Every structure is written in structure tokens, then in C-alpha cells.
Amino acid sequence: MPDTELITIGAFARACGLSASALRFYADAGVLAPALVDEVTGYRYYTPEQSAPACLLRHLRAMNMPLPAVTALLAEPDPARALLLLDEHLAALDRHQGEIRAAAAAALGALLATHGSASGSGGGAHSVPADDRGGARSPLATVRNPEPERGSPGTRDDVWVSGPVLAAAIDQVATATVADAEPAVLDTILFEADGSQLILTATDRYRLATRTVRLTRVSAAVWDATVNADDLRATASWLRRRHAVVLRPHSDRVEFCTAATDSLEGDRVEAGEPTTRHVDQPDDTRRYCRRSTHDFPDYRAMLAALAPVRTRVVLSRAALLDAMERAGSPTVVLHTTSTGTVSAAAGATCEQPEPAAAQHIPQATATGPAMTIHFAVTTLYPAVATAVGPEVMLDLIAPDQPVLIRSADDGDLSTLAMPRKPEPTEETAR
């Protein structure tokens, strides 16, 4: 390689606004490869010239552009052709918005036909108030939390994140927890702040889900806390209504503060504050979730112990969910071929001993040896349904080995799921 400046993946992630794990996802999907991968350490390095395509990639994904279209646009050497590809996606978005507006108008007409017009003049009872820009305004938006000023005093351990994004992350990883678990650590979520991102991880021994959340402010905070999952689930609805929140760890709990106000108050309630979420808080500016005294399992060692990936599948999240819904079976069977095609079929059952015909999944690609792998829908469906972004990546090792299900957008989500053995009827049929 020519003598050029190389940037670590962490520094490059901060420069382009993507998480390091999202960059790994896009590299493995063949969208944006690093300039150099150290053969000994596996560390990935990028060059300054890759910042522009990485930022463009982030913007394109924010527009819900599918990975195949993103890959084509980034690889297009002709600027005019690249603009045409972007215009085609914008036109598709406009068509989709038109379909949504038409469906909304039809729903309103059906509602009025069923219930009649509401009381009041001019049909104003079902009109939607608008904000200063003419857009729809939520009735809950009358009191707003202003954007916090930079440089507001706080503690070194403060971590700033988007409230709705954090709520979604809690929902996503909580699918890998077990209520009333024994041991109790299986009903917790591990929070890890490393200065550039917040990582949430949960496991029930059969599944493992880990989600990164990009920080909204640069932070020097480096800490971890094992947090009660029930408290977090109850706090999620509060987080969804907070534009920005600050996380602050304490010895027996983690504090969640509305960023616009609590960042200025320090730790004024450190002493004597209740440690659970069940306390009425008149100002509604903070919540507390209990920390567990149990050590969280070493999930990084679990991931590092996995055998090398043999087959990698990239496909539309919506298409895979549709395939599972259409299968109408407790088991779904994924087939990949050496030519890169992917198909799905319902698994055989005692009532239906003959395996169903496999249906091709469009715009799905597979690299590596052909493989057939069985999943319980109750295991695979939640892992895919909670994914971020429009695509998922499946890292396959063998039909009887754990599968890593990955997705990325603003942050990334990885879920480790176990496949299931084929039904005896399927083994006989083969």
C-alpha cells in the first residue's frame, strides 16, 4: 500500500458519524471495505479519502436506501449516473408516501362513514394541528425540551444519548432476557460506555443480543453497569418522550435525566434517593433503574469462541419476515446455494411430513458454501423484527452452530441465535 495516513476504525467512526461495529457490518456486506486489515491483529484501518463515501453512506441509509442500491451508487464512477440512482430512490420514496397518504384518506373516509362526523363545526374535530413550519404537531408537543447547551456542567461519567433511540435499543435487546430468571442476571441488561458509544447487551443463554447506540455528545465516560431489565422496560416509555437524556451511574442504580434540566443540577439527590422506578417524581425529569449485584456473563468471550464464518447471507429484513409469515409453520428452513441464491420454506411437521417447496427470496445474496439451516420461528422472528435498518446479515457457521444476525443503521444490533435440529420427518425425506 502507498505511504498514506491510516486511521483506526474508532477514529474513523467518530469522523464519519458511524459506529465502529456499523463500519464492520458495511465492510462485511461489501459496501465500504477498510483500506487495510492487519493480518495478525485483525484491526481495520481507513484513509482520509474514505471519509466522503462513508458520510454519503450514512446519509443514504438515513433515506432508507437498500444496501444493493447503496453499493451501486457508491461504486458508480459517473456522477450523472450516481445522481440518477439517487433520483430513482427519491421517486420511489415519493410513490410510497403517496400510497400512505391515499391509505390515510381511505381510512378517514371509512371512519367517518362508520361513525359519522364528530361534533363541532367545519370538521375541526379530526383536523391535525400544525407547527410553525406547517407540519403536523403532536398534542404532546406543547411543552418542549430545548436542546441542551454545549459545555453544560455535569460529571465525568455522564453519557448523552437520544431518548427514543435508547428506548428502541432497550426493546431490541430485551428480547434476549428472561423474566423471573434463575440466575437473576439473565433478567438484566449490561450497559457499557466506552467514550464513543453506549453498548447494551442481554443474554438468556440461548440467545445473545448486543446493540450499540451512538452518543449525541463526545464523552470521556468509561463505565459499565448491569441493570435490572424490568426497571428498564418500565423506563423505556419515559425515554421515548425525551429528546435527549443523560445517563449517570451510581453505586446501586443508574440515573436517567432529561438532558435540558438535570445536566445542570449535578448530584443534588444522590443521598437518600429511592432506587426503583416506582417513586412519583413531580418534575418528571429523571428515572432510576436498579443495578444488579451479579456479574454479567463474558459475552465477548462467547463471541470470540465462535468458529469462523463459512457462509454469509445479506437480505431484506422485510423479505425475511414475510417469508417466515408465509411459511405458516413453527419452523422455517433457509437454503443457500453455491451460486449465491437464498430461499426459504416451511419446516416439515408431523401433520405435514413432506417438506414444503422452497420460495426464492428476492435481492438476497449468499457467499460461501451452500447450506441448509433450520430455525424455530419464535427464535428467528424477534431477532429479525427488532433489527435496525432495512437489511440483515446472517453469519452461518454450520447447521448446528449459533448464527450471528447483524444489522446496522444509526448504530448496530447483533443477535446470536441457535438453530434447531430438523424434524425426523425431514431427515427421512432427505
Side-chain angles (χ1 to χ4, degrees):
M1 167 171 284
D3 186 16
T4 185
E5 180 185 357
L6 292 176
I7 307 171
T8 65
I9 189 171
F12 188 74
R14 290 189 291 272
C16 65
L18 293 166
S19 69
S21 43
L23 285 170
R24 295 186 190 97
F25 174 90
Y26 292 128
D28 292 342
V31 181
L32 182 67
L36 175 69
V37 179
D38 190 296
E39 295 182 358
V40 177
T41 64
Y43 292 166
R44 306 181 189 212
Y45 298 91
Y46 293 79
T47 63
E49 292 76 20
Q50 291 181 287
S51 293
C55 291
L56 176 57
L57 165 61
R58 176 167 57 85
H59 295 315
L60 294 175
R61 293 295 279 176
M63 297 165 51
N64 289 326
M65 180 176 280
L67 272 183
V70 171
T71 305
L73 193 151
L74 292 178
E76 179 55 60
D78 182 358
R81 175 60 185 163
L83 287 173
L84 180 59
L85 292 174
L86 181 59
D87 286 341
E88 290 174 353
H89 179 66
L90 292 175
L93 291 178
D94 286 341
R95 287 193 298 271
H96 183 59
Q97 288 298 318
E99 293 169 356
I100 292 175
R101 285 191 291 270
L108 179 60
L111 186 63
L112 293 176
T114 302
H115 299 287
S117 59
S119 60
S121 60
H126 57 261
S127 61
V128 179
D131 61 15
D132 296 337
R133 297 166 295 180
R137 176 172 62 84
S138 166
L140 299 177
T142 53
V143 179
R144 298 182 180 179
N145 294 321
E147 190 71 29
E149 297 180 3
R150 291 190 177 276
S152 298
T155 73
R156 182 178 176 82
D157 287 336
D158 283 359
V159 171
W160 298 69
V161 296
S162 161
V165 172
L166 179 57
I170 291 171
D171 290 341
Q172 287 162 334
V173 302
T175 59
T177 60
V178 181
D180 302 320
E182 185 58 44
V185 73
L186 299 183
D187 195 23
T188 64
I189 295 177
L190 176 65
F191 278 56
E192 297 173 284
D194 67 2
S196 62
Q197 61 188 2
L198 180 68
I199 307 172
L200 281 67
T201 306
T203 181
D204 62 3
R205 287 199 178 122
Y206 298 97
R207 290 173 297 176
L208 185 150
T210 182
R211 168 79 153 95
T212 63
V213 175
R214 191 160 53 92
L215 304 187
T216 56
R217 288 194 182 184
V218 176
S219 171
V222 178
W223 52 265
D224 63 80
T226 304
V227 188
N228 182 280
D230 282 341
D231 287 5
L232 288 169
R233 280 187 280 263
T235 301
S237 60
W238 178 86
L239 289 169
R240 290 189 188 94
R241 300 190 297 273
R242 301 296 180 277
H243 173 66
V245 293
V246 179
L247 278 66
R248 188 173 299 150
H250 301 291
S251 60
D252 59 350
R253 63 198 186 278
V254 173
E255 179 182 0
F256 298 79
C257 310
T258 302
T261 57
D262 290 67
S263 61
L264 304 177
E265 298 177 7
D267 292 328
R268 62 178 175 81
V269 293
E270 171 68 21
E273 188 71 41
T275 61
T276 73
R277 68 186 188 281
H278 302 292
V279 178
D280 292 334
Q281 300 174 40
D283 61 3
D284 201 33
T285 60
R286 66 182 70 226
R287 290 290 187 272
Y288 294 89
C289 294
R290 292 166 292 175
R291 293 182 66 162
S292 171
T293 58
H294 299 276
D295 292 331
F296 196 83
D298 187 355
Y299 74 93
R300 287 188 173 86
M302 296 166 60
L303 294 174
L306 295 175
V309 175
R310 296 181 61 232
T311 300
R312 176 164 285 146
V313 179
V314 178
L315 72 171
S316 160
R317 176 167 64 108
L320 183 52
L321 291 174
D322 181 66
M324 286 188 277
E325 291 165 4
R326 289 178 179 273
S329 168
T331 303
V332 63
V333 186
L334 293 183
H335 306 274
T336 72
T337 68
S338 56
T339 59
T341 62
V342 183
S343 59
T349 63
C350 295
E351 294 78 13
Q352 175 113 20
E354 289 297 323
Q359 301 294 318
H360 173 71
I361 300 179
Q363 295 186 333
T365 59
T367 56
M371 194 175 297
T372 297
I373 190 164
H374 297 66
F375 288 99
V377 172
T378 53
T379 298
L380 184 61
Y381 196 96
V384 176
T386 57
V388 293
E391 285 87 20
V392 291
M393 179 187 299
L394 276 61
D395 287 345
L396 310 180
I397 301 170
D400 60 348
Q401 293 296 307
V403 175
L404 191 61
I405 303 161
R406 304 161 59 191
S407 57
D409 200 354
D410 186 6
D412 70 295
L413 175 71
S414 297
T415 303
L416 197 64
M418 284 297 298
R420 63 171 298 172
K421 293 181 178 179
E423 295 290 340
T425 51
E426 294 179 78
E427 294 285 6
T428 302
R430 287 205 295 246

